[in-house]
Amino acid sequence: SPLGMAFNTDGTKMFIVSDSGDHADSVLEYTLDTGFDISDNLTFVDAKDVSDEDETPRGIAFNADGTKMFIVGADDDDVNEYACSTGFDVSACTFTDNFSVSSDENAPSGIAFNTDGTKMFVLGDTGNDINEYACSTGFDVSTCRSVADKDISGQEARSGGMAFSSGGTKMFIAGYAGDDVNEYTLSTAYDVSTATFVDAFSILTHEGKITGLAFDTNGNHMYVIGQGGVEINEYYLTEPWDVSTAYHK
């Protein structure tokens, strides 16, 4: 039951949120011999149990150097923050704080931050929206407050994952009602109230229940994880951050 996914900065590590199986309610860590190439040697390293904080973890994000990890969960409807003494090493992560999003969403399914962590975004599966929070201290959930939201019900009713382009002027939402990845442009970077729907890319032939979404640093590769095939599908984009140019490897 794979859910959210994330990579480290150079793509040599990949992280999957697991909801069941041998490592239920855990974050699974893998190493990749070649950055962002899932077809290359992919090795399981370790698992971090997060069930004490939430028994339905659904989304994952890190700060830039991996010394903080964030898990959003649909059981307690909150964002759980962890401090990692070694960057991007889940075995070195310790729970430090949490932030409730229950007043905005009772089934959060994805999480993302802007570059410096002063904005946090939580994707809602029930509200069919993106909730934006301003954080007075970057990557510190205890300092976050709600500032805006963006309704996406016209494009997706069962959202499973979200991502932003490196500059924050594009946003991507994946879901399994439409079995596609929806692309939006933002006239103001990382301001969801300025988002406009642009295009959608169907992944139905490869996955029928999308639960997570990620991109490489340059937007040339897109990754979709799902519970239908219990696998990761990698797509190439001939134009960076443009899903209309995506094709399956």
Side-chain angles (χ1 to χ4, degrees), residues 56 73 95 100-101 110 151 197 199:
T56 312
F95 172 73
S100 176
V101 297
D151 188 307
F197 173 69
D199 208 345

Side-chain angles (χ1 to χ4, degrees), residues 139-157:
F139 297 108
D140 181 349
V141 298
S142 70
T143 70
C144 298
R145 61 182 177 83
S146 179
V147 293
D149 66 88
K150 172 66 178 179
D151 188 307
I152 57 166
S153 60
Q155 292 79 51
E156 184 54 60

Side-chain angles (χ1 to χ4, degrees), residues 103-155:
S103 60
D104 303 308
E105 177 58 48
N106 60 19
S109 57
I111 183 171
F113 288 85
N114 67 343
T115 308
D116 63 5
T118 55
K119 283 195 174 184
M120 179 175 72
F121 306 89
V122 174
L123 182 62
D125 191 12
T126 299
N128 300 320
D129 59 0
I130 303 109
N131 298 283
E132 179 182 325
Y133 302 84
C135 309
S136 56
T137 301
F139 297 108
D140 181 349
V141 298
S142 70
T143 70
C144 298
R145 61 182 177 83
S146 179
V147 293
D149 66 88
K150 172 66 178 179
D151 188 307
I152 57 166
S153 60
Q155 292 79 51

Side-chain angles (χ1 to χ4, degrees), residues 1-241:
S1 184
L3 295 168
M5 68 179 301
F7 290 90
N8 69 341
T9 309
D10 64 5
T12 55
K13 283 195 173 184
M14 181 180 71
F15 305 88
I16 304 295
V17 178
S18 171
D19 190 31
S20 64
D22 292 340
H23 298 291
D25 307 326
S26 299
V27 179
L28 311 183
E29 177 184 328
Y30 298 81
T31 57
L32 291 76
D33 282 359
T34 303
F36 294 110
D37 185 354
I38 62 170
S39 67
D40 205 356
N41 192 29
L42 186 68
T43 306
F44 172 71
V45 177
D46 208 346
K48 170 67 177 179
D49 190 314
V50 296
S51 60
D52 283 349
E53 291 74 59
D54 202 292
E55 294 186 348
T56 312
R58 294 193 62 181
I60 180 171
F62 289 87
N63 66 344
D65 63 4
T67 55
K68 284 197 173 184
M69 178 176 75
F70 304 86
I71 303 294
V72 66
D75 188 22
D76 293 330
D77 304 326
D78 57 6
V79 177
N80 294 288
E81 177 183 323
Y82 300 78
C84 308
S85 56
T86 302
F88 296 110
D89 179 352
V90 297
S91 69
C93 297
T94 305
F95 172 73
T96 56
D97 209 344
N98 67 349
F99 176 80
S100 176
V101 297
S102 60
S103 60
D104 303 308
E105 177 58 48
N106 60 19
S109 57
I111 183 171
F113 288 85
N114 67 343
T115 308
D116 63 5
T118 55
K119 283 195 174 184
M120 179 175 72
F121 306 89
V122 174
L123 182 62
D125 191 12
T126 299
N128 300 320
D129 59 0
I130 303 109
N131 298 283
E132 179 182 325
Y133 302 84
C135 309
S136 56
T137 301
F139 297 108
D140 181 349
V141 298
S142 70
T143 70
C144 298
R145 61 182 177 83
S146 179
V147 293
D149 66 88
K150 172 66 178 179
D151 188 307
I152 57 166
S153 60
Q155 292 79 51
E156 184 54 60
R158 295 304 308 270
S159 54
M162 69 181 303
F164 286 87
S165 63
S166 55
T169 56
K170 283 198 173 183
M171 178 176 71
F172 305 88
I173 304 296
Y176 55 91
D179 297 315
D180 55 11
V181 177
N182 297 283
E183 177 185 324
Y184 301 78
T185 57
L186 286 73
S187 56
T188 301
Y190 294 111
D191 181 349
V192 298
S193 68
T194 70
T196 303
F197 173 69
V198 176
D199 208 345
F201 176 75
S202 175
I203 55 93
L204 181 58
T205 56
H206 303 119
E207 177 56 57
K209 191 174 182 181
I210 307 171
T211 53
L213 175 69
F215 287 82
D216 71 342
T217 309
N218 299 316
N220 294 311
H221 295 252
M222 179 174 72
Y223 307 86
V224 175
I225 194 168
Q227 293 179 328
V230 195
E231 62 187 9
I232 305 158
N233 286 282
E234 179 180 350
Y235 300 84
Y236 292 108
L237 284 71
T238 56
E239 292 292 332
W241 309 112

